[in-house]
Amino acid sequence: ALRDDRAGWTTAERTEIANHASNGSWELIDRSSVPSGRALVRLIWVYKRKRSGALKARLCVQGCAQIPGVDFEQTFCATMRATSLRTLAALAVKRG
């Protein structure tokens, strides 16, 4: 499946990297500038084909290798859409 859409996956990867660059979510450094005793955080690609057929590539950090306060300062928390929250609240009220 990946080989059939190689150009599409490459485009998805480039889009993901461009998004990170425009958000300023990382800083590209030279490997020689890493302080002794510190390790670079590894990255992995996660690929997904959306229901619409669109190809999505996400660049993810292997979180198990990170140290809070050293490797990261902020975390991501998934949020709920306002319409989903209202629907859930309405169902809770209706069912008591």
Side-chain angles (χ1 to χ4, degrees):
L2 288 177
R3 290 179 189 255
D4 297 339
D5 297 319
R6 184 177 296 170
W9 291 116
T10 302
T11 301
E13 288 175 348
R14 288 184 180 158
T15 301
E16 178 73 358
I17 290 173
N19 288 341
H20 280 290
S22 68
N23 291 335
S25 60
W26 66 13
E27 179 181 340
L28 190 61
I29 61 169
D30 189 61
R31 190 176 288 269
S32 63
S33 67
V34 177
S36 63
R38 294 290 307 276
L40 293 175
V41 179
R42 292 180 179 252
L43 302 174
I44 58 171
W45 283 103
V46 177
Y47 300 97
K48 183 173 184 179
R49 185 181 304 271
K50 299 289 191 167
R51 290 181 184 170
S52 65
L55 304 177
K56 176 73 175 174
R58 289 182 293 153
L59 188 58
C60 300
V61 176
Q62 289 184 332
C64 60
Q66 294 183 354
I67 301 170
V70 176
D71 294 320
F72 65 92
E73 297 170 1
Q74 299 177 355
T75 58
F76 173 78
C77 180
T79 58
M80 183 182 295
R81 291 182 181 174
T83 54
S84 299
L85 179 60
R86 285 193 296 269
T87 302
L88 187 61
L91 285 171
V93 169
K94 184 177 180 179
R95 295 186 181 183

